[in-house]
Amino acid sequence: MDSIRVSKVEKVLCGKSGGAHYGSLHLTAHHLIFRYEDSEKEEMWVPYPLISLVLKLPQTLHGQSPLTFHTRMFETFSLSFEKERDAIDVFESVKELTVCTSVNQLYAFFYTPNTPFDTTGGWSLYSPREEFGRMGVGTRTKAWRFTDINKDYAFSPTYPSRLVVPSRISDSTLRYASKYRSKCRIPALTYLHWANFGSITRSSQPMVGIKQNRSLQDEKLVEAVFQSHHFSESRPSGPVYGATSTNLIVDARPTANAVANTAKGAGTENMDNYKDAKKVYSGIDHIHAMRESLAKVVDVLREADNVAASVIGSLPGEAQQLVVVDRQALRRSGWLRHMSNIMEGAALIVRNIHINSSHVLVHCSDGWDRTSQLSALAQLCLDPYYRTIRGFQILVEKDWVSFGHKFLDRCGHLSSDKFFTSLPETGGTGSGADAAQAFLVSVQNRFTSQSHLKETSPCFHQFLECVRQLQRQYPSRFEFNERFLRQLLYHLYSCQFGNFLYNCERERRAGEDGVIPSERAASIWDFFNSTSELEKNKNDAYDPSLDDPSSRYPSADMGVLYPNAKDIRFWHELYGRTEEEMNGRIVVSQTKEGPEFTSPIDSLEDDPVNSISVPAGIPLPPSPARTPNLSNPSVVSPNAGNTSEALTAGLRGLWSSLPDIPQRTTADNTTAPSSTSLRPSGPPLRPSSPGSNLSHPTRSWTANSTDTLYNTGVRSVWGKLSSNATAAFSAMQDAYDGVAKDFKALPRPSGDNEDAQGKISELQPRERLGDGERSAYRVTSQSHSIGSTYNPWDNAKPQKAIHDIPSDNPWSTTRSRSPRQASLSQDLFDGKKSLPLDPTVAHPPRRLESGDSSGVRISGQSQDVGVPYLTVVSDESLVLEQEDQPPSTNIDPLGVGFL
C-alpha cells in the first residue's frame, strides 16, 4: 500500500513491561507486528485502531530515535530506532494507516480467521421475537404486542425495526406520541420481569421546552405502560406481600442538566401530567465528563510510567514500576464516583421492579448512552439468564446494538491526527522562538482536536467496568470470568469484527457503500462461542443453583442481585496494575450483617489498622474542635465513689478536653477502672494547667497510665486532642471561676465526727481558682457503699448486670435521663409539691426565680446499678441557698443531714 513507507525495520529496541529487547518491526495493512530476536518470546501484534496515542520523541544521547505508543487497553511500549529516517517513516506510516475516512477501511472487512470458527450464527444470535417470547410477551401476558411501525426505519431511524409496546396503544397513537420524544424514540419495552410482570421501558427525553408543552398521546402511552400488569392474564396467581405500586420515571441525568435542556426545546417530564408515577434523577454526568474522567486516569498511569522511566534513564515501557501510582490523583479523576452513580441507579431499578412489583421508564437525553447502561445493568441483576455467556451476548445485542448506541462515534474507530504528536528537539541549538512556536502549535492542536472528537466517550467501556464490579461482588453468579469482559473490550477497539462498527441497527444492516457487514465481516459472537474461547472464558466458581427462584435457604435471593454502589474499585487487571497500586490495601471490617469492605486506603492516616483500637463497648471521645457551651457550667462528672468525693469530682470536672474513663477508689487509695463500660458520662477532670499533676486518687494521670493508654491503641486520640487542650483549659477555667467563691462562703461545721469532717473538707477551694461571678447551686448527695473493684480488662466479670449507663455528649447542656432518674427528679423537685423538711436545717430553702441559672443534682452511688449518675434539675424546680443566708452551725450546706 502507498501508506506504508517502510514495511520492515531491523535492530529495533522494544521496551515493554519493564524489559527491553531487540527485534524486527513489521508494518502491515492492519497491524504493527514486532518479532523478538529471542524466538521464545511471543510476537506482539497491535491493530492500528487500538492505538490511542503515538509520541515521536527527540533523539537520545545514544543517538537513538524513539517512538512511544499508548493503546486503548492502557498498555505502553516504546520503539527505538538507530536511524532518524526509520523513525519518521514508521511514524508517518502508522498515522496514515490508523486514521481512516470510512468504516470500510477497518480491519473487520479484511479479516479472515486462519481456522474457521466451529460455531456460526453469530449475526442471528439475537431475535426480538424469541427473546421477548422467552420473557412471556404473548404467552404469560397479553398486555404487550409487537409492532412493525419501524420496519423500514422511517418511524425512528435510530430504533430497532421491531418494537414491543402496550397492546392498548395503536400505531396511530404511537405516531403522534413520537413527535413529543427526542429522535422519535418513544417508550418501548426492553425487559419484562419473570416474577411479577414488572417492566423496564426506555425512551428519550420529552420535548417539553420553555412553554411546558405536553402530549396527551405520550401521557396515555406511559399510563398504559404503568398499568400493564392489570391485565387479567398477567395477574399473579397469589397476592404479592409487601409490594407497593411505585412506578418510576428514572431520568439518568443530573437535575440541573435535565432542567437546562428546556432551553433547547427538550427537558424532563412534568409529573402533574403523568398519573401514578414518581420521577427520580440518577445524577449520571454526560459523555464529555466521562471522557475527561477516563483521560485523567490515563494521564495518571502515563505519569507513573514516565516517572519510573526517568529514574533509571530509560524510555516509557522499559522501566520497572519503581513508583506507586498516585492513588489520590486517581480518585480525583472521579471515575469511581461515576461508576457508583450508575450502580446506584441500577440498584434503584432492581428494587423497584422486584420488591415493589412496579414499572420503570428509563431515559436520558437521547436514550442511547446512560439509558443503555442503567437498563442493561438492571436486567443483569434481575434475570440470571443474562449472567450466562449466551444471555450476556443477547443482552449486549438487544440493549446496546439494537437500541442504537453510537459505537462508531463513541469509540472513535476512525481515529484522528490528534493522536500523533511529534515533540520538537530540545537541544541547545534550538532558539526560544522555535520552542514558543512549537508550544503554540501544540495548544492549537489540542483545542482543535477536541472539537473533532467531541462525540467520543467510554460508555460501553464504563458498562463493562460496572459488570466487573458486579462480578467481583458476586463471584459465583456469572458463567463468564474477568477475561471474557477484558477480551470483549479489546475487540471493541480492535475493529476485528463487525458488530460494534456502526451507530444503529439501520446502519449495520444497510452498511456503507453497499458493503453489508453481516456478509463481509465476522461476528464477534462466533469467536467467543468457539470451543477454544469458551474454555478460557468459563468461570470455575459459577454455581447456577444459587439462582433457583424456588430455593428457600436463608441466603436465597431468587436469583436477583443487589449492587453495592459503595464497593467500587478500579479494574486493575484491565489497567495492567496490581490491586494495591490501583486501590490500596483493602481492609475488611466485620459487622453484624457480615463483612463489609471499607474504602481503599490512600495514605497511612486512612489506615484503620493504625487508627484508634478500643473495645467495642467504648465509644469514641467527643471532638474537642467544637467550643463547649459555657453558658451552663452545671454538667460535672460523677466519678467519686462516696459523698466526700462527689463534690470534688464536680469541681474537678473541668478537665473536659480529654475523654474520661470513670474509675473507682479502693481502700488503699489506688485507682481502678469502673465496672461500667468505661463510658465518659460527663466532662473529665482537669488540672489548672496542662502540665500540672493532680493529687486526687481518682485522677492520677501518671506516666504509667499514659503508657497504658498508649499501648492500648488510644494514643492516636490523645495526640489529636492535645493540640486543642491548652485552649480548652483556659476557656473552661474562666467559665467556672465563679464556682470557687460559692464554696469559700460555705461554713465549715465543728465537731469531732470524722465522717462529717470528711464530707465538709472537700469544700475547701483550691488556691489556683480565682474569684469570679457568684453561681448559686444546691448539690445533694446520697451515701452508699461502693463495693469491690475489678479490672475490666481481666476475664473476670462483675456478677451484677449493668442495666442503665448514662452516656451523653459532655459538651451539651441538655442531658438525657433514664426513666428511674426522671421519676426521682420529678418526685423530689416537682414545683407543685413541698420539699420534705430537714430537722437539722434552721430555715427552709427558698425557690429560685425563673431567671436564675439552672443547676444540677448529683446523686451518689446507685444501689442497684453500682455507678454514679446525674440528675438534671430544671430552672423552675431548682433549690439553693440564697447568697444572703446567714451562716449557722445548724445548717447542712450539702443538705444531706448530719450523722
Side-chain angles (χ1 to χ4, degrees), residues 730-758:
S730 301
M732 299 299 292
Q733 179 69 59
D734 297 338
Y736 292 106
D737 277 343
V739 178
K741 191 172 181 179
D742 291 335
F743 293 125
K744 287 181 179 180
L746 291 175
R748 187 168 186 173
S750 60
D752 298 333
N753 193 319
E754 295 179 359
D755 295 338
Q757 182 66 22

Side-chain angles (χ1 to χ4, degrees), residues 64 171 203 497 506 552 579 741 768 801 847 858:
Q64 292 183 330
D171 287 353
S203 68
F497 303 97
R506 178 183 62 85
R552 292 299 178 263
E579 172 75 16
K741 191 172 181 179
R768 54 177 174 268
R847 183 171 300 173
I858 303 180

Side-chain angles (χ1 to χ4, degrees), residues 126-364:
Y126 165 64
S127 170
R129 186 167 293 277
E130 291 180 3
E131 178 57 21
F132 285 103
R134 182 192 66 84
M135 298 180 191
V137 174
T139 56
R140 292 195 305 131
T141 175
K142 304 296 184 180
W144 302 91
R145 68 178 180 90
F146 288 94
T147 178
D148 294 329
I149 193 174
N150 198 39
K151 61 181 179 180
D152 55 356
Y153 303 102
F155 176 77
S156 177
T158 60
Y159 250 16
S161 61
R162 180 158 293 181
L163 299 173
V164 180
V165 296
S167 300
R168 295 190 303 175
I169 304 299
S170 64
D171 287 353
S172 177
T173 304
L174 294 178
R175 295 185 187 278
Y176 281 101
S178 65
K179 300 177 182 179
Y180 189 66
R181 293 285 171 172
S182 175
K183 307 292 189 301
C184 297
R185 297 171 66 91
I186 61 173
L189 181 70
T190 184
Y191 176 71
L192 183 66
H193 196 35
W194 53 268
N196 51 28
F197 300 98
S199 65
I200 299 179
T201 50
R202 52 182 297 172
S203 68
S204 60
Q205 63 182 340
M207 307 302 291
V208 179
I210 300 179
K211 296 182 180 180
Q212 292 297 305
N213 302 320
R214 59 181 297 188
S215 170
L216 295 178
Q217 291 80 10
D218 183 80
E219 295 168 12
K220 291 295 183 182
L221 175 58
V222 175
E223 182 181 359
V225 169
F226 288 163
Q227 294 181 356
S228 60
H229 62 284
H230 290 320
F231 271 63
S232 58
E233 296 86 353
S234 62
R235 289 182 181 273
S237 57
V240 181
Y241 296 100
T244 306
S245 178
T246 56
N247 300 318
L248 285 182
I249 297 179
V250 177
D251 194 328
R253 302 167 293 181
T255 307
N257 296 11
V259 175
N261 279 343
T262 57
K264 301 178 182 180
T268 186
E269 289 86 355
N270 183 353
M271 297 311 298
D272 295 336
N273 303 326
Y274 295 87
K275 301 178 181 179
D276 301 329
K278 298 179 181 179
K279 182 173 61 177
V280 294
Y281 296 92
S282 295
I284 305 173
D285 284 325
H286 49 68
I287 60 173
H288 312 293
M290 301 301 181
R291 179 179 64 246
E292 295 170 0
S293 178
L294 184 61
K296 293 178 181 178
V297 175
V298 174
D299 290 341
V300 173
L301 300 180
R302 290 175 182 173
E303 183 65 22
D305 291 336
N306 295 334
V307 171
S310 64
V311 171
I312 62 174
S314 303
L315 295 173
E318 297 181 16
Q320 296 284 353
Q321 298 299 320
L322 300 179
V323 293
V324 179
V325 177
D326 187 357
R327 292 193 298 270
Q328 294 290 344
L330 285 177
R331 287 191 169 274
R332 288 194 298 268
S333 67
W335 186 248
L336 296 182
R337 175 176 57 84
H338 293 317
M339 284 196 296
S340 179
N341 290 340
I342 297 174
M343 297 284 282
E344 188 173 359
L348 174 65
I349 298 174
V350 171
R351 290 192 299 267
N352 196 66
I353 289 179
H354 186 68
I355 298 178
N356 296 337
S357 301
S358 302
H359 306 273
V360 176
L361 169 62
V362 187
H363 72 78
C364 50

